[in-house]
């Protein structure tokens, strides 16, 4: 049985070089159990401690206990860490030691990582005021914590990386820490402006491969720190993050047979493979090769979900083998990481599609409770908030939060914006966002609908023709069901626009037109 150190303030579990991030609520539950170790803690006591003054069902407590067990590798039937005492509550029985940052013992990074390892070094402070060193140390710590939540990379502990002498050759620093990449940073203060620079260093060559500079007025430090942490962490992780890009460049030109499991995953995420069905199937082959070697790589299972869904959309959801592969990938990814926001997003959509709104809403709450560094997570949450919850304020906040972390949003990021802007009634923003990327079905759908609602019928007709050119069998009703658009308010807005568009389309059956008119009137 592993001996875990639990840092509640950082919401992390640490065992050797293994660092697992958990949600704030899960950390609060574990913290309360740890404070009463070996004693039975009733559900009602946990609810009062973690959700004071709120009406919360016991089911939500069980969900967070499930999340903690998943993080710890525990089994409810044969518990080693958290025991369920039927009818009474829960008891912490395992070797979990509450620890503070200051008490942590440095450790060496593990060797032979199957994922890229990154070390966040202690920042340089070109100002004598001690507050700035403390501020930057806090920013670097928060970035380290955020990076531990990205499953496709590994992170050297802050205690090891901060203890290193950064005056030596950075290649030697990387070798000592066992890291492929180093994140170095500095701050210089000029009058009322703070210049903060982050640079990503290739540990093999010592060369800089990415940099980020911000010049911000000195004001409230907490929001400034949060902004920097969000932008830097998001830039580094994810399928289009700088670490992934560096790994992709490293294997460019290599034969597929020479790639290891992780490198097959990297090649599967090549944007050039996402352009058509043949490329997507090639991507799926790389993912199969990856998972045959590394079956526990969560990111590969998530990407399998994405690719299968794209291919299924192209086939009109008729390919049963693809749908079965998609379902298995969702199940496997959720088992490995029940806190991955994108998987929660997929499961919420699946639940809503099947009519199980209770489960869908529960999954949305869990997704909103995560603190992922990846902007994609916020974009996924924005979709759930509008398609299922019809919570425009929360949806817009999540969208803006996600886009604020991206310096140059890619086309697929803007498709989330186009869809949300349509449902918010901001049709000009929806059209502009849909134009930012290539002509994907989602971009074309909400561009067409927004143009129709803006009474730009000639443009809507041209967009509809383009949409039909991409998919001659496209049907607005099937699209709404497969997405799904589940909330009545969202459906009414959607079909109000579809009713206008279908009058431009001579191929639309009268029964469908009548149904659109009926929904629009509700």
């Amino acid at each position: 049985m592993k001996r875990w150190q639990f840092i509640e303030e950082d919401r992390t579990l640490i065992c050797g070089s293994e660092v697992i991030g958990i949600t704030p609520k899960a950390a609060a539950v574990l913290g309360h159990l740890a404070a009463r170790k070996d004693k039975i803690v009733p559900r009602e006591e946990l609810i009062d401690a973690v959700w004071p003054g709120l009406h919360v069902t016991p089911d939500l407590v069980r969900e967070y206990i499930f999340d903690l067990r998943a993080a710890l590798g525990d089994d409810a039937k044969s518990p080693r860490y958290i025991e369920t005492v039927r009818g009474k509550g829960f008891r912490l029985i395992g070797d979990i030691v509450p620890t503070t940052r200051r008490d942590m013992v440095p450790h060496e990074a593990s060797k032979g990582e199957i994922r890229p390892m990154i070390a966040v070094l202690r920042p340089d402070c070109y100002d004598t005021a001690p507050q700035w060193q403390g501020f930057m140390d806090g920013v670097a710590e928060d970035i380290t914590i955020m990076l531990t939540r990205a499953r496709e990379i590994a992170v050297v502990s802050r205690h090891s990386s901060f203890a290193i002498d950064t005056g030596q050759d950075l290649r030697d620093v990387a070798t000592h820490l066992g890291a492929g990449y180093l994140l170095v940073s500095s701050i210089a203060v000029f009058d009322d402006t703070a210049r903060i620079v982050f640079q990503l260093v290739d540990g093999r060559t010592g060369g800089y491969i990415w940099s980020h500079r911000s010049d911000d007025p000195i004001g409230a430090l907490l929001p400034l720190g949060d902004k920097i942490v969000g932008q830097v962490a998001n830039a580094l992780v994810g399928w289009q993050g700088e670490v992934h890009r560096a790994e992709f460049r490293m294997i460019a030109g290599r034969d597929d047979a020479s790639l290891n499991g992780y490198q097959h995953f990297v090649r599967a995420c090549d944007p050039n493979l996402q352009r058509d069905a043949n490329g997507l199937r090639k991507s799926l082959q790389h993912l199969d090769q990856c998972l045959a070697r590394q079956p526990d790589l969560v990111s590969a299972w998530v990407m399998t979900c994405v690719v299968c869904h794209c291919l299924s959309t192209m086939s009109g959801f008729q390919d049963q083998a693809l749908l079965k592969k998609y379902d298995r990938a969702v199940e496997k990814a959720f088992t490995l990481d029940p806190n991955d926001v994108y998987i929660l997003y997929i499961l919420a959509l699946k639940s809503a599609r099947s009519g199980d709104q209770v489960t869908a809403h529960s999954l949305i709450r869990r997704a909103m409770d995560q603190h992922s560094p990846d902007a994609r997570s916020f974009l996924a949450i924005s979709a759930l908030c509008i398609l299922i919850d019809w919570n425009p304020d929360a949806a817009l906040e999540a969208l803006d939060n996600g886009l604020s972390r991206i310096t140059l949003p890619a086309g697929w990021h803007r498709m989330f914006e186009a869809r949300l802007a349509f449902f918010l009634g901001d049709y000009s923003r929806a059209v502009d966002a849909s134009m930012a990327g290539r002509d994907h079905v989602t971009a074309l759908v909400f561009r067409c609908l927004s143009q129709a609602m803006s009474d730009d019928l000639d443009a809507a007709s041209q967009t509809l023709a383009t949409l039909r050119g991409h998919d001659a069998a496209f049907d607005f009703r099937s699209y709404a069901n497969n997405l799904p658009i589940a909330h009545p308010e969202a459906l009414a807005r959607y079909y109000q626009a579809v009713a206008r568009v279908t009058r431009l389309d001579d191929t639309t059956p009268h029964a469908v037109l009548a149904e659109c008119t009926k929904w629009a009137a509700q």
Side-chain angles (χ1 to χ4, degrees), residues 409-460:
W412 71 269
H413 295 132
R414 303 298 298 277
M415 285 189 289
F416 281 90
E417 181 182 5
R419 180 167 55 195
L420 179 56
F422 164 78
F423 284 112
L424 295 176
D426 191 346
Y427 302 123
S428 61
R429 181 178 180 180
V431 172
D432 289 345
S434 74
M435 296 285 194
R438 59 194 177 87
D439 284 342
H440 186 276
V441 169
T442 296
L444 291 169
V445 166
F446 290 102
R447 184 190 311 167
C448 178
L449 297 180
S450 296
Q451 289 166 335
M453 293 300 287
S454 301
D455 293 323
D456 191 354
L457 300 183
D458 288 341

Side-chain angles (χ1 to χ4, degrees), residues 118-287:
I118 184 170
V120 182
L121 303 186
R122 191 178 191 199
D124 292 321
C125 182
Y126 304 129
D127 191 281
T128 56
Q131 73 181 76
W132 293 113
Q133 186 68 64
F135 168 72
M136 286 301 293
D137 284 354
V139 168
E141 281 189 58
D142 287 345
I143 289 174
T144 301
I145 293 166
M146 292 287 275
L147 294 180
T148 64
R149 300 190 176 111
R151 302 305 189 193
E152 67 273 13
I153 63 173
V155 187
V156 176
S157 81
R158 159 216 179 281
H159 310 281
S160 293
S161 59
F162 270 36
I164 201 78
D165 175 14
T166 56
Q168 57 184 307
D169 190 309
L170 290 178
R171 290 171 294 183
D172 294 334
V173 172
T175 299
H176 179 77
L177 293 172
Y181 301 93
L182 305 174
L183 183 67
V184 300
S185 58
S186 64
I187 183 171
V189 180
F190 307 97
D191 297 326
D192 60 348
T193 301
R195 171 166 291 179
I196 300 172
V197 177
F198 279 87
Q199 294 171 309
L200 185 66
V201 178
D202 187 328
R204 293 167 286 271
T205 66
Y208 293 110
I209 55 180
W210 170 84
S211 64
H212 172 83
R213 191 188 87 182
S214 65
D215 293 321
D216 295 284
I218 297 172
L221 294 185
L222 185 59
L224 173 59
D226 287 345
K227 185 192 83 168
I228 295 167
V229 170
Q231 289 179 340
V232 172
N234 179 73
L236 296 179
V237 303
W239 305 326
Q240 296 180 334
E242 296 302 328
V243 172
H244 192 99
R245 290 173 188 269
E247 292 288 306
F248 184 81
R249 289 192 294 269
M250 187 176 66
I251 63 173
R254 285 180 52 179
D255 185 78
D256 287 350
S258 69
L259 302 181
N260 63 29
Y262 180 81
Q263 290 165 342
H264 274 290
F265 166 68
V266 170
R267 189 158 283 176
C269 301
D270 180 0
N272 291 321
L273 295 181
Q274 315 297 322
R275 298 182 183 278
D276 55 35
N278 289 333
L280 287 166
R281 291 192 181 280
K282 179 65 174 176
S283 177
L284 209 53
Q285 291 172 9
H286 282 297
L287 290 167

Side-chain angles (χ1 to χ4, degrees), residues 450-476:
S450 296
Q451 289 166 335
M453 293 300 287
S454 301
D455 293 323
D456 191 354
L457 300 183
D458 288 341
S461 183
Q462 292 175 8
T463 304
L464 181 63
T466 304
L467 179 59
R468 296 288 188 208
H470 276 259
D471 182 2
F474 177 82
D475 172 51
F476 282 104

